[in-house]
Amino acid sequence: MDLLLPVLLAFYVACNLGANDVANSMGTSVGSKAITLTQAVIIAGILEFTGAVWFGGPVSQTLASDLIHLEEFAPNLQLLFLGMVSVLLACGLWLQIATSFGLPVASSHAIVGAIAGFSGVAIGPEAIDWSTLGRISLVWVVTPVISGSLALVFYNRLKAGILDHPQARLRVEEWIPWICTGLLTIFGAIVLPTLFSGFSIPQIPNHTAMIGTAALGTVALTALTWHRLSSDRSLESIFAQFQAISACFVAFAHGSNDVGNAIAPLAIISQIREGDILIPGNFQVPLWSLIVGAIGIVFGLAIWGKNVISTVGENITPLKPSGGFCAEVATATTILLASRFGFPVSTSHALVGAVVGIGLVQRSPSSPLKFKTLREIALVWAITLPLTASISATILAIVRLFSVLPT
C-alpha cells in the first residue's frame, strides 16, 4: 500500500498533462481540420505511449536527480517522500484548474516550481541545484524563440516556393520528395539512434538499418502523396496529409519529454520504498512508472482535452493545414532535441511559439494574431512556477505541522 497513493497521484498528474499539454500538441492539427478530435485521441494514444516509454527516461532522470541535491535528504527520506507527494498534488491541482479554463500551462514550469518550492521549505536553498535550475530556465526562454523561428522559416519558404507560386500544383509535385525526405530525416536523425540502440538486426550494422528504414519510409510516403495528388485538386489536402504525420511526431515528442513531469517524483518515491541509496549519477527511472505516466496522459486527453485544443488550434491565429504542418514540424524538432539532451521543456512554449511564427508570415486582416489570447497564455506561464512552488511548500508545511508522516 505504500506506493498506492503516489501512483494514483502520478496518474492524476499525467491525466492533467494529457488534458493540457497533449491537447495543445494536437491543437494545430484539429484547428486546421487536418484530423478530427477522435483521430487526435487515437494518434496520441499510440504515439504518446511509445514516446514516453522509449524516449522518456532522460528527462525524467534530470527532474528526479539533477534539480535538487538528493544527498541533503539522506538523513530523513520520509521527508523526501512526503515532499514528492506534495509536488504531485500541487502540479495536478494547478494543471486541472488551468485546463478547466482552456489555458495551455507549461507543465515543466509546474513540476520544477513544485520541486524547488518543497525543497526550499524542507531543507533550505542549499537543497536546490541552482545551476541546473538556471540551465532549465534558459532553455524555457529560448524554446519558443527557436520553435517560432523554425516555423517562420519553414512556412515562409513553403509559401514563397509553392503556395504563392503561379504554378503551385506543378511546384508541389516537384517538392513532394524533398518535403518527405526532410520530414522523415528530421524525425529519424533524432529518434532512430535511440530506437535502434536497444536492438540490432543480425548481419546489418545499426547505421545501415537506420538509413534503410528512413529511406524506405521516404519512398513510401512520396509514392502515397503523389497518388493522392493525382486524384485530389486541393493543395491544402496534401498538406493535411503531411500534417497528420507531423502530428504523430509532436505526440511522440510530447510523450518523450513531458512524461517526466508526472513520473520523476514517483520514481524517487519508488526508489525510497525499495530501500535504494539515492545516488544522482546512478538514478534509474523504472519502466513501469513510465507506463503509468503514458496511460494517464492518453486517458486525460480523451476525457478533458477539448478546451485547450480549441485555444491553441483556433484562438491564436486561424491555421490552414500548410501552416499547421510547419508549426508541428518546428515544435517536434525543438522538443525532440531537448529530450535527446535531457532538458525538460514545455510543449506549450514550443507550439505557441511556432503558431506565432506562422502568424507573423501569414498576417492579414483575415488571419490576425490574437494578442489577447497570447497575453493570457503568457500570464499563465509566468505565474505557474511561483504558484506551484507556493502550493507544494504550503502542502508540505501543513502536513509537517500536523506531523502526518508516511509509515
Side-chain angles (χ1 to χ4, degrees):
M1 295 294 289
D2 284 340
L3 279 176
L4 179 59
L5 177 59
V7 167
L8 291 176
L9 285 175
F11 185 82
Y12 171 60
V13 174
C15 286
N16 282 288
L17 286 174
N20 200 285
D21 270 14
V22 182
N24 65 53
S25 70
M26 290 283 110
T28 51
S29 294
V30 176
S32 69
K33 308 300 187 289
I35 59 176
T36 65
L37 183 59
T38 301
Q39 290 170 334
V41 173
I42 294 172
I43 290 171
I46 298 170
L47 276 300
E48 288 279 343
F49 187 91
T50 306
V53 173
W54 277 356
F55 217 59
V59 173
S60 300
Q61 186 163 331
T62 295
L63 287 170
S65 63
D66 295 350
L67 184 59
I68 57 176
H69 298 296
L70 293 176
E71 63 274 11
E72 295 285 344
F73 292 90
N76 191 352
L77 292 181
Q78 288 185 325
L79 182 60
L80 181 59
F81 178 105
L82 192 60
M84 288 301 166
V85 170
S86 302
V87 166
L88 290 170
L89 187 56
C91 290
L93 288 173
W94 173 235
L95 287 170
Q96 185 169 7
I97 291 170
T99 302
S100 67
F101 287 97
L103 295 171
V105 174
S107 58
S108 56
H109 288 206
I111 191 71
V112 170
I115 290 175
F118 107 81
S119 300
V121 168
I123 301 293
E126 64 273 16
I128 303 169
D129 189 323
W130 294 101
S131 62
T132 298
L133 182 60
R135 287 195 300 272
I136 292 173
S137 300
L138 178 61
V139 172
W140 286 345
V141 172
V142 302
T143 293
V145 176
I146 292 173
S147 183
S149 300
L150 288 174
L152 188 149
V153 170
F154 291 163
Y155 189 62
N156 191 53
R157 189 73 190 96
L158 192 68
K159 199 168 182 294
I162 297 178
L163 301 177
D164 293 342
H165 197 276
Q167 293 182 312
R169 186 174 178 79
L170 179 61
R171 293 284 287 181
V172 77
E173 188 174 350
E174 295 172 350
W175 275 51
I176 282 172
W178 302 109
I179 294 175
C180 295
T181 300
L183 183 60
L184 294 182
T185 297
I186 290 172
F187 183 73
I190 299 170
V191 174
L192 288 181
T194 298
L195 299 187
F196 275 88
S197 65
F199 65 93
S200 60
I201 302 174
Q203 310 288 321
I204 301 177
N206 272 3
H207 66 272
T208 302
M210 286 186 286
I211 293 172
T213 300
L216 286 174
T218 300
V219 171
L221 181 58
T222 300
L224 288 172
T225 309
W226 271 337
H227 176 73
R228 179 165 184 169
L229 185 63
S230 67
S231 59
D232 196 324
R233 306 296 297 181
S234 170
L235 294 184
E236 286 296 338
S237 70
I238 299 299
F239 286 105
Q241 173 184 295
F242 283 132
Q243 191 179 7
I245 297 169
S246 62
C248 294
F249 293 173
V250 173
F252 186 97
H254 177 270
S256 73
N257 198 282
D258 280 28
V259 70
N261 295 336
I263 293 313
L266 179 60
I268 289 179
I269 290 171
S270 172
Q271 193 153 341
I272 292 172
R273 280 311 178 199
E274 289 175 4
D276 293 340
I277 299 174
L278 295 174
I279 302 173
N282 195 34
F283 192 89
Q284 297 296 320
V285 178
L287 177 62
W288 65 263
S289 67
L290 293 173
I291 294 174
V292 168
I295 294 173
I297 282 173
V298 175
F299 185 80
L301 170 65
I303 302 301
W304 298 313
K306 187 175 180 180
N307 288 343
V308 181
I309 281 180
S310 176
T311 297
V312 177
E314 301 170 0
N315 293 341
I316 294 177
T317 189
L319 288 173
K320 294 181 179 179
S322 54
F325 163 68
C326 292
E328 287 180 350
V329 171
T331 299
T333 303
T334 304
I335 298 298
L336 283 171
L337 283 171
S339 296
R340 187 70 179 275
F341 292 103
F343 285 112
V345 297
S346 169
T347 306
S348 57
H349 278 202
L351 193 66
V352 169
V355 172
V356 170
I358 300 300
L360 292 175
V361 176
Q362 68 176 16
R363 195 171 183 181
S364 67
S366 61
S367 302
L369 273 173
K370 300 178 182 178
F371 289 101
K372 180 177 181 294
T373 301
L374 290 174
R375 284 195 297 270
E376 291 174 353
I377 292 172
L379 177 61
V380 173
W381 286 352
I383 67 174
T384 292
L385 190 148
L387 186 63
T388 54
S390 301
I391 294 173
S392 68
T394 301
I395 292 172
L396 181 63
I398 290 173
V399 174
R400 292 180 73 185
L401 180 65
F402 289 97
S403 299
V404 180
L405 294 173
T407 59

